[in-house]
Amino acid sequence: MLDSRSYLIILLLSGIVPFVGGLNVIFVMFPYAVLLYVFAIKSFPLKHFILGICLLAFYYLVNYMKWGFVVITFGVLSWSALSLIPALITGSILIQIPAGAFLQGLRKLKLPQKTMIAITVGIRYFPDVKTQLHIIRKAAYLRGLNISIIHPKQSFELVVVPLLHRSLRISDDLSAAIISKGIEYDGEKTSLHELRLSFRDFIAVGFSCAILVLCLVGVF
Amino acid sequence: MKVKDIVKITILSVVGFVLSMIGALAAPLLGNYSFAGEVSFGALLSGTVYYILIQKVPKRGVAFCYYMINALVCVLTGFWPLCIVLLVSGAIAEICLIPVGSYKKSSRVILSFILSTVVYGLHGVVFFGMIGADRIVSAFPKMYTKESVAILSKYLVSPASIIILILALAVCALIGILLGKNIYNKFFAGKAKKQSQRLG
């Protein structure tokens, strides 16, 4: 696995490059992100891969139809979603890095402490929202409560109220855990995880930067 | 702001962002007005989170932090032009909450959400109207063609369209934040009162 700082830079570039380079660069960034995932997690990102292939097929189908209204709305939507896939794959690698290692990486970047906490908590909590929604939906089903578009206000309350209650409880628990680990201590902090940039980090980040430069120059 | 406030703001902002993205999925139904639809439908769902966040963390800077975290997520997901729009929206939301005691006044919170949503929702008009169709095509040659930009400009950058957009954004933001106020009073306010009475 690479350094967490490298993954953060690659995540940033994975988001920006498709919007600068267009569709052709996705044919480079998508397999590159899959390769990074395979080397880091030692498994294949099947869900993201299938999603990417489906979005690509949908994009070409929409453009083949050449109906102005459909192309403008669904074409741009599918293109935007497709552009997110490399960032999603890189983000899913970042989520699996231990929080301590991630925080230590951000500390080495000399970011303000509150920004570090916000980035770490935000990135780690993102997949949890999906899990919470899934749990809430199952719990509502077990209780015989119907979440449907026919009763929008009730359905909204059924989903959002438990989600917010759980989120507030998680925030209290997380704050207590972070504070008990000495986040508010002003002195220099050590870490169990030793972070050192290796040759592989420079190659990986360098490749992403090279793609961005090629996009800006107009190769893609 | 303390560490627990930052954590609470971050977690609720992420929830708000996810809900606004879910709302934005319905935007393509509006065709050429999908720019406004993304933000209006998103505001319908995320207004609740915004209201509850302000009530739970009634401190200076909370509204700006909410939009800043949304901007950070936009940058990480590649929608970097929205970052500037979101920071301006956050600044406007915070300006509405400057007077002392504003965070606990529902009228001020409602006003701040509506104004910030309208500013955010007009990003399409800003991009097409101020930047200009030709510069957009040259900046994003792979995303827009001259024809598609011309069609979008015709729909977005006209006085009637702008007025309709502003009204739609304001109405959806109002509904969203009033829904949030209703949910807060029904499910969260009683608990806060009991807690303050116990500590009191």
Side-chain angles (χ1 to χ4, degrees):
Chain A
M1 216 185 231
L2 303 175
D3 192 295
S4 56
R5 291 168 286 178
S6 307
Y7 284 123
L8 195 60
I9 294 168
I10 294 169
L11 174 67
L12 266 165
L13 291 172
S14 300
I16 293 166
V17 161
F19 284 90
V20 175
L23 184 71
N24 293 333
V25 82
I26 291 172
F27 290 111
V28 175
M29 291 305 289
F30 186 26
Y32 173 59
V34 168
L35 210 64
L36 279 176
Y37 189 95
V38 167
F39 278 119
I41 311 296
K42 312 278 186 268
S43 73
F44 191 75
L46 189 64
K47 271 190 218 168
H48 293 113
F49 186 77
I50 292 170
L51 180 65
I53 298 294
C54 291
L55 281 169
L56 198 60
F58 182 68
Y59 175 78
Y60 278 115
L61 181 70
V62 161
N63 278 292
Y64 176 73
M65 279 199 272
K66 289 192 177 139
W67 295 340
F69 163 77
V70 172
V71 171
I72 287 171
T73 50
F74 291 100
V76 174
L77 185 69
S78 60
W79 182 89
S80 305
L82 196 55
S83 306
L84 283 177
I85 299 290
L88 273 176
I89 296 175
T90 316
S92 61
I93 303 173
L94 260 178
I95 286 159
Q96 305 206 33
I97 294 173
F102 190 68
L103 209 52
Q104 181 64 6
L106 292 176
R107 208 170 276 135
K108 289 214 169 192
L109 287 172
K110 309 279 185 220
L111 293 174
Q113 179 155 282
K114 288 178 181 166
T115 312
M116 268 176 5
I117 295 169
I119 294 172
T120 311
V121 169
I123 285 179
R124 295 307 289 252
Y125 192 65
F126 237 106
D128 280 0
V129 178
K130 187 184 161 193
T131 315
Q132 302 290 341
L133 286 170
H134 185 69
I135 291 170
I136 288 163
R137 202 170 53 85
K138 292 267 178 194
Y141 176 73
L142 280 170
R143 284 165 176 78
L145 298 165
N146 205 11
I147 297 172
S148 79
I149 210 151
I150 303 166
H151 306 285
K153 186 173 180 271
Q154 284 163 316
S155 302
F156 184 69
E157 283 179 9
L158 267 175
V159 172
V160 166
V161 173
L163 178 64
L164 288 172
H165 271 298
R166 289 177 83 99
S167 300
L168 288 167
R169 208 174 320 136
I170 286 168
S171 76
D172 290 335
D173 293 343
L174 207 56
S175 317
I178 290 173
I179 291 167
S180 67
K181 283 179 179 147
I183 198 91
E184 289 180 324
Y185 171 62
D186 284 328
E188 198 188 325
K189 295 175 181 66
T190 56
S191 172
L192 184 68
H193 309 274
E194 265 192 48
L195 295 180
R196 224 172 272 127
L197 290 170
S198 67
F199 186 63
R200 288 180 301 178
D201 292 289
F202 288 112
I203 297 278
V205 173
F207 182 77
S208 301
C209 292
I211 299 291
L212 178 64
V213 167
L214 288 173
C215 292
L216 290 169
V217 160
V219 171
F220 285 103
Chain B
M1 267 192 227
K2 295 183 186 163
V3 169
K4 65 177 181 121
D5 297 326
I6 298 289
V7 173
K8 206 171 274 186
I9 291 168
T10 307
I11 286 180
L12 289 180
S13 300
V14 167
V15 172
F17 181 81
V18 169
L19 288 175
S20 65
M21 284 293 112
I22 292 171
L25 289 175
L29 298 171
L30 296 180
N32 295 320
Y33 291 100
S34 57
F35 277 109
E38 278 165 23
V39 179
S40 329
F41 296 151
L44 268 175
L45 302 186
S46 62
T48 305
V49 178
Y50 183 85
Y51 191 89
I52 288 169
L53 174 64
I54 301 280
Q55 299 307 309
K56 287 288 178 185
V57 189
K59 292 187 180 174
R60 189 70 63 204
V62 62
F64 185 75
C65 288
Y66 174 81
Y67 281 99
M68 198 168 68
I69 288 165
N70 278 281
L72 187 64
V73 176
C74 284
V75 167
L76 289 174
T77 50
F79 295 106
W80 49 270
L82 285 179
C83 174
I84 302 158
V85 180
L86 281 165
L87 290 177
V88 170
S89 302
I92 287 169
E94 204 53 52
I95 287 168
C96 294
L97 297 168
I98 282 177
V100 175
S102 295
Y103 294 95
K104 287 294 179 187
K105 269 192 194 155
S106 58
S107 55
R108 281 270 168 187
V109 175
I110 290 167
L111 180 70
S112 79
F113 186 68
I114 291 172
L115 283 178
S116 52
T117 303
V118 166
V119 167
Y120 178 29
L122 288 175
H123 70 270
V125 176
V126 167
F127 287 157
F128 284 90
M130 286 176 68
I131 297 170
D134 290 334
R135 284 172 76 177
I136 286 177
V137 171
S138 61
F140 303 101
K142 309 288 180 177
M143 198 165 160
Y144 296 104
T145 59
K146 277 191 176 166
E147 292 79 24
S148 62
V149 166
I151 293 169
L152 279 168
S153 296
K154 182 188 148 196
Y155 280 106
L156 286 176
V157 189
S158 69
S161 296
I162 293 171
I163 292 167
I164 292 168
L165 271 171
I166 291 172
L167 283 172
L169 287 162
V171 165
C172 288
L174 181 64
I175 295 170
I177 197 80
L178 286 176
L179 189 61
K181 183 182 170 190
N182 179 259
I183 286 175
Y184 176 78
N185 290 336
K186 209 166 148 185
F187 298 103
F188 293 86
K191 201 175 169 187
K193 263 189 203 161
K194 280 183 196 163
Q195 234 172 11
S196 62
Q197 278 167 3
R198 226 184 296 137
L199 294 168

